[in-house]
Amino acid sequence: MDGVAIVGRGIIGTSWALVFARAGLGVSIWDRAGLGEAKIISDLQASATSLIGTNCAVPPEAFDRIRVHRELRNVLRGARYVQESAPEVLALKRELLRQIADAADPGTIIASSTSGLRPSELADGVAARERFLVVHPLTPPHLLPLTEVVPSPFTSEEVVEHACAFMTEVGQTPVRLLRETPGFVANRVLGAMLNEFFHLVREEVIRPQDVDTIITQGFGLRWACMGPFAAMDLNAPGGIADYLSRYGGIFEKVAKERNASGALDDALIKTLAEAMRAEHSLDANPARAALRDRSIAHVREVRTVVP
């Protein structure tokens, strides 16, 4: 990609600017509020101050690649990729995306950072909608590489592939969703976990401060090194299928208690087991468990739990 345009300079837009500038790209930022280039560059530098001396640091010369413009058309000139990060208001985003599509160069990929609005909703009335998709980061993307790439039913396959490749190029880790769904995947999973915590606090099962401890001193340590399916695969001698045959009933009971239907059945267990075994044989699990243990120990050694 030649240049990148940032449209929407809030927390997410600022973080995206650091991602792209750190990767060596020219970045143009839309300054709708008229703050001026000096102020915006100063704010970006302040955001990056805490990273100095880490492997996520933004080199000083990266800020020389950032330009700020008051006019939207000037931000879009020469940009081959646009990251829209305006507030999460459907009508506002739709209108802004229409303006972007009308003013952008032909072939420019237009991506939205929306946290949950479906791309087919956003692209209603947008010209060249085959070049539009959602590229949803976690906050802040300059530190959390996971990026959901969500096409609409009419997004070009070539655009999806280019967006995934571009995210990899700038240091992100793209995960392509096979189809759009409200809230995408990351926020649906987060929402399911938070909703259960909300219930347990309301029911006086646990204190709010202990909810955070369950993550920081428990699952968070393990999830820093491996995902939940991989973890289950190591938590029973026969792998994930064995684990779910032993403990899957817990998840079914919780679902029924919340008047929901559980998702676990024999077909899904088979799918999960086949996916795990395609990556690693059961014979490799003892070595994987040893690596997990050492990785968790390293995380405990270097991390700081933020109050």
Side-chain angles (χ1 to χ4, degrees):
M1 299 279 179
D2 298 324
V4 175
I6 302 289
V7 179
R9 196 198 63 86
I11 293 172
I12 298 299
T14 294
S15 185
W16 272 125
L18 295 176
V19 169
F20 299 133
R22 184 173 57 193
L25 299 173
V27 179
S28 295
I29 298 175
W30 183 38
D31 178 22
R32 179 175 58 176
L35 296 177
E37 184 165 285
K39 168 62 175 170
I40 290 174
I41 298 296
S42 176
D43 288 348
L44 288 167
Q45 291 171 330
S47 296
T49 298
S50 61
L51 306 180
I52 294 172
T54 73
N55 60 3
C56 295
V58 181
E61 62 270 19
F63 299 100
D64 296 334
R65 294 189 282 269
I66 299 173
R67 293 290 177 267
V68 177
H69 302 277
R70 186 70 187 272
E71 297 295 329
L72 181 61
R73 64 178 180 275
N74 294 334
V75 170
L76 299 172
R77 186 176 295 120
R80 305 308 300 160
Y81 179 91
V82 179
Q83 189 75 45
E84 173 271 315
S85 300
E88 197 80 347
V89 178
L90 179 58
L92 171 65
K93 282 184 175 287
R94 274 180 175 170
E95 178 55 33
L96 189 53
L97 289 166
R98 290 187 189 114
Q99 293 178 33
I100 292 170
D102 290 342
D105 294 343
T108 299
I109 293 176
I110 303 170
S112 175
S113 300
T114 178
S115 296
L117 297 171
R118 288 180 292 178
S120 59
E121 291 180 290
L122 288 169
D124 183 41
V126 173
R129 61 183 188 171
E130 71 278 359
R131 292 189 276 112
F132 173 75
L133 75 174
V134 165
V135 176
H136 169 240
L138 298 189
T139 304
H142 68 279
L143 288 176
L144 302 178
L146 173 66
T147 307
E148 293 180 293
V149 177
V150 190
S152 74
F154 38 77
T155 305
S156 159
E157 178 63 26
E158 182 181 16
V159 164
V160 179
E161 292 176 358
H162 282 177
C164 288
F166 180 50
M167 286 297 109
T168 300
E169 177 188 326
V170 299
Q172 300 300 98
T173 303
V175 171
R176 175 183 176 170
L177 271 60
L178 302 180
R179 62 182 178 86
E180 63 177 18
T181 188
F184 315 133
V185 172
N187 280 333
R188 289 178 74 97
V189 171
L190 178 63
M193 181 178 69
L194 289 177
N195 280 331
E196 184 59 24
F197 280 140
F198 296 154
H199 280 299
L200 294 171
V201 170
R202 184 183 295 113
E203 294 163 359
E204 298 184 341
V205 174
I206 190 171
R207 300 181 306 164
Q209 55 268 43
D210 290 333
V211 166
D212 288 342
T213 301
I214 283 176
I215 300 301
T216 61
Q217 302 299 330
F219 292 118
L221 286 168
R222 189 165 67 196
W223 290 342
C225 308
M226 65 193 322
F229 287 167
M232 282 191 287
D233 199 46
L234 298 184
N235 282 356
I240 193 168
D242 186 14
Y243 177 92
L244 289 172
S245 70
R246 297 171 185 240
Y247 306 111
I250 296 173
F251 312 125
E252 295 290 312
K253 288 178 182 177
V254 171
K256 289 179 181 177
E257 183 181 322
R258 299 301 180 205
N259 296 317
S261 58
L264 195 61
D265 57 26
D266 290 342
L268 179 59
I269 292 174
K270 181 174 183 290
T271 296
L272 296 176
E274 288 176 349
M276 290 296 110
R277 298 290 67 83
E279 295 289 331
H280 307 280
S281 70
L282 278 175
D283 292 340
N285 276 8
R288 294 174 64 221
L291 181 59
R292 172 203 61 194
D293 295 350
R294 188 166 183 82
S295 298
I296 291 173
H298 281 309
V299 171
R300 292 186 61 178
E301 182 179 22
V302 302
R303 74 172 180 157
T304 298
V305 178
V306 180

